[in-house]
Amino acid sequence: MRSARALTSLGLATTAMLALAACSGGGAPESTPSDVELRMTVWTSNEDHLALFDSIAEAYMEEHPEVTDITFDPLPFEDYTSTVTTQIAGGSAPDLAWILENAAPDFVDSGALLPLDETLEGTDGYEFDDLSESATALWHDESGGLVAYPFSTSPFVTFANDDLLKAAGLPTSAEMQAAGDWNWESISEAGSAVHASTGKAGFVVRDFDYVTWDYLASVWNGWGAAPWSEDGATCTFDSDEMIGAFEFLHDAAFTKQSMPGPGTTADFFAGESAFTVTQISRASLLAGDFAWNLLPLPEGPEGEYSVVGQAGIGVLADSPNADAAAEFLAFFTNPENSEQLAQFFPPPRESQLNVDTLAATNPTLTPAQIEDVVIPGIEAGVTRPSHTDSAEIAQEVRGALDALWVPDADIPGTLEDVCTTIDPLLG
Amino acid sequence: MRTDAIARNSGPDAAAAQAAAVIARPVLDVDDALRDQRAPRDQRAGQGRGRPSPWRKVVLYGLLSVLAIPFVFPTWWMITSSFKPISQIFAFPPELWPSNPTLDGYVGAFTAQPFALQYFNSMYIAIVVTVGTMLFASMAGYAFARIRFRGQGILFLVVLTGLLIPAEVTIVPLFQMFNSWGMIDTHWPLILVSTFGAPSVLATFIMRQYFITLPVELEEAARIDGLGRWRIYWSIALPLSRSALAAVAIFTFLHVWNLYLEPTVYLQTPELFTLPQALTRYTDAYGGEMWNVQLAAATLTALPVLIVFVFAQKQFVEGLAQTGLKG
Amino acid sequence: MADATMTTPDRASARSGAAPTSDLASRRRKRPLLSYSTRDQLTGYLFIAPQFLGIVLFVLVPLVLIFWYSFNEWNVLAGTFRFVGTENFEKLMGDPKLAPVLQATGVFSAGLVVFNLGLALFLAVLLNRRVRGITVFRTIFFSPVVVSLVAWTIVWSFLLQDNGGINGLLQLVGIDGPNWLREGPTAMASVIVVQVFKNVGLNMVLFLAALQGVPSEVQEAARMDGASDRALFWRITVPLISPTILLTSIITIVGSLQVFAQIAVLTQGGPGISTTVLVYYLYQQAFDFHHFGYGSTLAIVLFAIVLVLTIAQWQLRKRWVFYEN
């Protein structure tokens, strides 16, 4: 932004209008190393999360008196990336930022993030090699440097409301699984029956809402589908696998009515649907008003599969306090703190991905659930789709997919249109 | 009518004024309309078709009542639903009255976001801009109407361009300008642009049109008494223009109170948000819905202004009648 | 205000400003440093300074800048700003979304004008009679104007959900309502209707004022000539209030080009891009995708449309001048 800002200032100086221009702040004042204030943008506003972050920050500031303040700045999740980007554009970039996996390529490729390898490796007791390769895959820049720490690798799982299933006279989720019926077809059948007999919703792909289509990755991976090729250059929305997945979803929404249709909202955690597919971290929303169960993703035609959502923490290279921020990040994610963070965010450290560590910090989940659902989910998980220009691709796909969410949709035709629309962006 | 007088002018001034008249018209005519309502009966001979028969009256009331539904029902539904628990909001059949009223939504409105602070932000920005606009627009309007200075017509034309360029056109460069001044994520862009930029031009125009109608004798007498321009403007012209100022105040306040694009672009910190922006941000930590909370916040946002309107409508109309400036 | 009290600014200022200067100067105890008219000129400049400088800084400078920006592009994350020549204009010409966006803008504006003016005139005619309680209805129809725009729109977004209040009411009478905001035609219609109910009160009041300005003698005369109520309305009343009709339609069109919050809350431009109007598209490009250069190019398009409408309005007014006298 520096050059843009200079140009604007130039244009204004020539018009020589108000004293206001003279008062302009320009850049942030040079902070002396003795008075460092750090700001990290996050998308959680959960009080327990923030309390934990604050306690880690307190501990850090005790050891590092030059850092006088560390704030965690919660931004709304729905337009988090856009807001952070606008902050960067608006000259008020944070020092550290959570980055969602779908925006990772934009941040990683632009050079906006500071490479972290040296700082992390150079920190005593950091155990840099403990970071799993699959967890960090998304966060390496062209030269192979790690530019963000993947603090959360959260598997997509299925939550079931057994009370609703019973009310509809159906077997519980555990019984379904035991009977070898834990697949999308059975879920859709059960969901349909629940909807017919209770009026509640069948299954909900949480946060999708017929807008945020990339959450459907938790479904289409069961069909072996992907939105684009590995290298991101070719659109594969029109593949047979993807068509199969969307035919299933369309059938569920409009024929079986096992999934709420567009414009209808149902919140699993308020007891309004029988199943939901979402990230494990949402377990914190369970209030205990109904009997629930945690299961892996249902099998698709391609068999078992799992999907993870990832989030990284990066240091903005342009920050005047970039080095101090990187050092704080090294502390924030050292083995002990990583273990604490693990109660909310499954860590990238191989040594901590075990039942003992996770069970100790996750009171809502049973050790069996962690062993059967969480750990295998993380280990085998395919990451949610990501690409450069993610905001624009997201918008274009969303727009093109709208044609699919009507009762008599041309599914293959619509998916072909999706590819036509986003091909120029992928290339 | 007012526009005729403008048409009789010549030169750029007239063209510009004509352009402005298009946009200024609604406001001016609202006063006219409201004042006419208060005019003595015999002066309103032109209106209506006399007294309708009782049968026609019933039809009229029936028709008006049906037509009123889409104007009343949303507000009614907003207020009543804000007292419902979240699971009842989309219950079928829809409830017209909450069967289990709860204040959860209202509590949530203040805990999920710094709502009181956001309310204060909206309120103080609207008041600062309204007062500022009343002052600067009346000053400019007074000068354009009553003082002769070189280049007046051209300068007025330049000011009027503000009416022809919607704020949406200039939002990108304004963002970059405020960015270069370090004013992003502050209230300055909202206050400065609304007070001095395009939105205030309408106010200047209204004030100018009003000051033009003041009798010259008032000023002459004041000048003989040795009053300077500022005193004439402040102690004589301004008090006489209460009705125009009231119109400016109401329209400026509503405009600023409703701003949405601008705060969305300029503000990023919840503590700095204004109400319209805050209303769209009621989602839980993971993007889940908080309908009852959102409706409670919407009710708190809408209701006070609505109540003020119901009372102020009367005040406003009577204020107009008392100024003795009937056509 | 009536014609009689109107004074042109020239005459007004001639009388109040220049003429009495000498007269006044002789009465002053102290001789001023500058002559009265010079001081008065200075005062004039000072009085308009805040407003004038504001317009230059916040309207004219940005207006010049959008032309400059449209020849450049940013990469916000990489922090680069570079000159790209006519790239943005080529992008505009080849943008497959431009045509649907302009079409949506046109449909929205046209739909809004027709429905808004039609309803406003209808309500004004209904309210234009001396019946007890009529002001209550006037207050009701006007009240959404003062309700916060976003609050109003959010409420409608709930009501228009598939399982929302509107379909709930329809279901009570046995109608299976459409999924208003998710199907192209009904989504556009919904956005228009929500906007009309919000603001129709303003135009209604304007029409009411115009109707009350129609001279009763003209109506009486026509009635004596045996004109029916309908003929009276279409042949006498409508022509007499036609300046108001023209003015309100232009205000409504220009206002419709600025609609943003309603789209953002109700449809986010969907389904597809069926409700993506120009301002919303501009916002998306500039502030969601951070293509500030292309956003500026779209701002030029918006500016051009407003300019053309303004010129067209000047031309139209010339022809309608008869009715204004």
Side-chain angles (χ1 to χ4, degrees):
Chain A
M1 285 313 296
R2 258 174 263 111
S3 48
R5 193 183 296 170
L7 276 167
T8 315
S9 305
L10 188 72
L12 290 166
T14 43
T15 51
M17 284 318 310
L18 274 196
L20 266 177
C23 310
S24 76
E30 282 293 313
S31 7
T32 51
S34 65
D35 191 20
V36 176
E37 292 182 4
L38 298 175
R39 184 171 72 98
M40 185 192 292
T41 51
V42 302
W43 56 73
T44 176
S45 49
N46 181 304
E47 280 169 24
D48 298 334
H49 296 181
L50 294 174
L52 172 61
F53 301 160
D54 281 336
S55 75
I56 298 178
E58 289 292 323
Y60 183 75
M61 286 189 287
E62 262 171 41
E63 285 176 34
H64 297 262
E66 76 278 7
V67 179
T68 52
D69 190 37
I70 300 175
T71 33
F72 298 92
D73 189 4
L75 303 176
F77 180 71
E78 43 185 4
D79 43 20
Y80 176 82
T81 303
S82 172
T83 309
V84 170
T85 315
T86 304
Q87 288 193 355
I88 296 171
S92 53
D95 303 295
L96 302 109
W98 283 16
I99 299 160
L100 208 61
E101 82 281 280
N102 61 13
D106 278 333
F107 277 86
V108 171
D109 292 0
S110 67
L113 300 177
L114 187 77
L116 299 169
D117 310 61
E118 259 179 53
T119 317
L120 298 186
E121 273 177 300
T123 303
D124 282 342
Y126 192 78
E127 296 169 37
F128 187 68
D129 296 334
D130 193 24
L131 303 185
S132 95
E133 213 164 288
S134 65
T136 56
L138 198 56
W139 308 96
H140 289 288
D141 66 8
E142 284 164 356
S143 55
L146 185 71
V147 292
Y149 173 90
F151 73 99
S152 173
T153 304
S154 177
F156 281 82
V157 294
T158 315
F159 289 96
N161 182 334
D162 284 331
D163 283 353
L164 262 187
L165 291 172
K166 273 188 235 160
L170 297 166
T172 63
S173 53
E175 287 162 1
M176 287 173 77
Q177 192 182 25
D181 256 351
W182 194 244
N183 56 56
W184 277 111
E185 282 307 324
S186 325
I187 292 231
S188 191
E189 292 298 337
S192 186
V194 167
H195 181 69
S197 65
T198 67
K200 304 276 187 178
F203 71 90
V204 173
V205 180
R206 194 172 170 83
D207 299 326
F208 159 53
D209 289 334
Y210 294 83
V211 172
T212 321
W213 51 271
D214 52 349
Y215 282 107
L216 294 179
S218 54
V219 178
W220 69 49
N221 272 292
W223 274 254
W228 40 74
S229 55
E230 290 267 305
D231 62 1
T234 322
C235 174
T236 54
F237 260 103
D238 51 1
S239 66
D240 291 342
E241 292 86 359
M242 197 60 103
I243 293 172
F246 274 96
E247 276 171 348
F248 166 76
L249 288 165
H250 189 272
D251 179 63
F254 294 97
T255 313
K256 290 210 180 74
Q257 303 203 314
S258 52
M259 174 165 100
T264 314
T265 34
D267 182 1
F268 173 85
F269 298 99
E272 292 167 355
S273 79
F275 306 98
T276 192
V277 168
T278 186
Q279 273 167 286
I280 183 71
S281 42
R282 307 296 159 70
S284 61
L285 298 175
L286 288 160
D289 318 337
F290 53 82
W292 60 274
N293 194 6
L294 175 74
L295 302 105
L297 292 178
E299 283 177 31
E302 295 290 305
E304 283 183 28
Y305 67 102
S306 50
V307 177
V308 294
Q310 259 205 343
I313 306 177
V315 173
L316 275 301
D318 265 356
S319 157
N321 304 317
D323 291 329
E327 274 168 40
F328 171 64
L329 182 59
F331 178 80
F332 192 74
T333 61
N334 70 21
E336 295 121 55
N337 287 329
S338 169
E339 199 171 320
Q340 291 201 61
L341 291 170
Q343 60 182 301
F344 305 117
F345 312 105
R349 293 179 175 273
E350 277 167 10
S351 63
Q352 292 176 352
L353 267 186
N354 54 57
V355 182
D356 294 341
T357 314
L358 295 181
T361 52
N362 272 294
T364 355
L365 306 180
T366 65
Q369 286 171 331
I370 288 169
E371 183 155 19
D372 298 342
V373 182
V374 180
I375 292 175
I378 294 172
E379 281 169 351
V382 178
T383 312
R384 240 159 45 108
S386 62
H387 202 283
T388 48
D389 289 327
S390 57
E392 205 169 351
I393 291 178
Q395 179 60 33
E396 296 285 351
V397 173
R398 191 212 105 179
L401 274 183
D402 276 340
L404 200 141
W405 306 120
V406 291
D408 47 359
D410 169 14
I411 294 170
T414 304
L415 293 173
E416 221 166 276
D417 289 343
V418 172
C419 279
T420 320
T421 315
I422 62 168
D423 266 336
L425 291 168
L426 295 181
Chain B
M1 299 209 77
R2 182 174 297 105
T3 40
D4 299 324
I6 298 161
R8 272 185 251 120
N9 289 334
S10 54
D13 189 359
Q18 205 180 6
V22 175
I23 302 162
R25 181 84 171 214
V27 179
L28 298 167
D29 281 356
V30 168
D31 337 349
D32 287 352
L34 292 170
R35 193 186 57 238
D36 285 350
Q37 295 291 324
R38 310 296 301 185
R41 289 263 149 136
D42 55 307
Q43 285 186 12
R44 289 199 284 166
Q47 75 163 306
R49 315 233 169 109
R51 295 204 171 271
S53 65
W55 183 82
R56 288 184 77 158
K57 261 194 195 172
V58 171
V59 174
L60 180 70
Y61 283 136
L63 189 57
L64 285 172
S65 303
V66 171
L67 284 168
I69 291 173
F71 294 85
V72 175
F73 180 67
T75 311
W76 173 262
W77 189 84
M78 170 179 78
I79 297 168
T80 54
S81 295
S82 69
F83 292 104
K84 294 176 190 167
I86 191 161
S87 56
Q88 297 277 299
I89 288 176
F90 288 113
F92 183 85
E95 280 182 338
L96 286 180
W97 188 257
S99 52
N100 305 306
T102 162
L103 285 175
D104 284 359
Y106 288 86
V107 173
F110 287 92
T111 51
Q113 285 198 80
F115 189 69
L117 199 54
Q118 292 162 342
Y119 216 105
F120 172 76
N121 291 339
S122 260
M123 202 51 107
Y124 103 80
I125 292 173
I127 289 172
V128 166
V129 171
T130 304
V131 171
T133 303
M134 286 164 74
L135 175 66
F136 295 120
S138 64
M139 278 169 60
Y142 177 81
F144 281 125
R146 313 296 297 200
I147 305 178
R148 256 179 104 92
F149 47 93
R150 204 166 296 150
Q152 196 168 20
I154 297 290
L155 292 176
F156 190 49
L157 191 64
V158 168
V159 168
L160 287 184
T161 54
L163 287 178
L164 308 179
I165 298 163
E168 291 74 11
V169 168
T170 51
I171 191 80
V172 172
L174 283 175
F175 175 81
Q176 298 295 348
M177 285 163 60
F178 285 111
N179 182 12
S180 72
W181 299 335
M183 291 185 185
I184 296 300
D185 211 21
T186 71
H187 291 147
W188 285 113
L190 302 179
I191 294 173
L192 291 176
V193 174
S194 302
T195 310
F196 299 103
S200 65
V201 176
L202 179 59
T204 297
F205 184 77
I206 294 173
M207 294 314 298
R208 172 184 177 274
Q209 294 309 97
Y210 197 88
F211 285 130
I212 283 175
T213 66
L214 289 184
V216 176
E217 292 72 24
L218 279 176
E219 273 176 335
E220 283 174 356
R223 200 168 300 154
I224 288 165
D225 290 344
L227 293 185
R229 270 295 179 193
W230 173 261
R231 289 297 303 278
I232 295 174
Y233 153 78
W234 185 256
S235 327
I236 296 173
L238 217 46
L240 282 175
S241 65
R242 265 180 310 221
S243 59
L245 279 174
V248 164
I250 287 173
F251 276 82
T252 307
F253 186 90
L254 286 179
H255 170 79
V256 179
W257 187 252
N258 277 332
L259 281 183
Y260 182 70
L261 175 68
E262 289 81 358
T264 308
V265 166
Y266 295 125
L267 302 179
Q268 293 139 1
T269 313
E271 282 74 18
L272 294 174
F273 282 177
T274 59
L275 286 175
Q277 196 183 6
L279 287 183
T280 60
R281 299 296 176 93
Y282 275 108
T283 50
D284 68 24
Y286 290 114
E289 303 285 353
M290 305 168 77
W291 303 306
N292 54 341
V293 175
Q294 205 174 16
L295 285 168
T299 303
L300 288 174
T301 305
L303 213 51
V305 187
L306 202 59
I307 292 169
V308 169
F309 159 72
V310 171
F311 289 102
Q313 190 195 29
K314 212 177 155 203
Q315 302 292 330
F316 184 41
V317 168
E318 278 172 2
L320 282 170
Q322 280 163 4
T323 51
L325 279 162
K326 284 189 200 132
Chain C
M1 282 114 262
D3 293 5
T5 59
M6 288 297 293
T7 318
T8 64
D10 288 351
R11 268 192 280 149
S13 40
R15 270 191 271 159
S16 65
T21 306
S22 56
D23 188 34
L24 246 175
S26 61
R27 285 168 191 261
R28 273 173 199 279
R29 269 174 277 168
K30 265 195 281 182
R31 266 198 95 77
L33 204 60
L34 299 166
S35 76
Y36 190 87
S37 78
T38 315
R39 285 204 320 154
D40 216 27
Q41 284 224 19
L42 261 174
T43 317
Y45 292 128
L46 284 176
F47 266 51
I48 66 159
Q51 171 81 89
F52 181 78
L53 296 180
I55 293 303
V56 172
L57 190 62
F58 298 130
V59 177
L60 298 183
V61 170
L63 192 63
V64 174
L65 282 176
I66 61 167
F67 285 92
W68 165 242
Y69 286 169
S70 66
F71 291 103
N72 293 278
E73 198 47 272
W74 277 257
N75 183 329
V76 170
L77 290 177
T80 56
F81 175 86
R82 67 192 170 92
F83 186 77
V84 295
T86 57
E87 217 172 83
N88 282 322
F89 291 93
E90 285 159 28
K91 185 174 171 184
L92 182 74
M93 289 303 133
D95 188 345
K97 288 169 90 173
L98 184 66
V101 164
L102 289 179
Q103 195 195 334
T105 312
V107 169
F108 178 78
S109 297
L112 192 73
V113 168
V114 171
F115 187 35
N116 188 329
L117 296 196
L119 185 63
L121 190 53
F122 183 58
L123 292 176
V125 169
L126 285 184
L127 293 179
N128 186 30
R129 48 198 86 209
R130 265 183 284 151
V131 177
R132 185 187 297 270
I134 209 83
T135 49
V136 172
F137 285 104
R138 194 190 69 197
T139 307
I140 286 175
F141 295 134
F142 194 81
S143 65
V145 172
V146 302
V147 170
S148 160
L149 173 64
V150 169
W152 177 259
T153 314
I154 284 175
V155 170
W156 276 94
S157 76
F158 286 136
L159 293 176
L160 288 164
Q161 275 200 25
D162 201 15
N163 59 352
I166 306 266
N167 281 347
L169 289 180
L170 287 177
Q171 218 169 321
L172 287 179
V173 293
I175 303 172
D176 199 10
N179 195 352
W180 300 96
L181 296 175
R182 298 291 177 142
E183 288 160 28
T186 55
M188 180 56 98
S190 303
V191 177
I192 292 173
V193 167
V194 170
Q195 175 68 359
V196 167
F197 288 143
K198 170 82 177 73
N199 276 340
V200 74
L202 210 52
N203 283 344
M204 177 194 79
V205 171
L206 299 194
F207 283 134
L208 209 48
L211 288 174
Q212 288 169 357
V214 173
S216 54
E217 309 85 60
V218 180
Q219 291 186 331
E220 291 308 319
R223 201 165 277 154
M224 281 184 188
D225 290 348
S228 66
D229 274 3
R230 182 172 300 177
L232 193 71
F233 179 73
W234 288 109
R235 302 263 177 81
I236 308 288
T237 310
V238 168
L240 280 174
I241 64 165
S242 58
T244 310
I245 296 178
L246 176 68
L247 287 168
T248 46
S249 59
I250 285 152
I251 298 155
T252 312
I253 291 178
V254 174
S256 74
L257 289 172
Q258 304 174 22
V259 67
F260 172 78
Q262 299 86 322
I263 305 276
V265 171
L266 283 177
T267 64
Q268 290 92 49
I273 55 167
S274 60
T275 55
T276 304
V277 295
L278 192 51
V279 167
Y280 193 76
Y281 191 48
L282 188 166
Y283 173 83
Q284 258 185 354
Q285 288 289 343
F287 296 101
D288 279 345
F289 310 154
H290 298 98
H291 300 324
F292 288 116
Y294 192 53
S296 299
T297 315
L298 292 168
I300 294 177
V301 176
L302 179 61
F303 176 57
I305 293 175
V306 175
L307 205 62
V308 166
L309 282 173
T310 308
I311 293 169
Q313 171 262 324
W314 275 347
Q315 298 302 324
L316 270 175
R317 278 179 67 83
K318 280 185 195 161
R319 296 190 191 171
W320 288 44
V321 81
F322 165 76
Y323 294 116
E324 291 193 39
N325 287 318

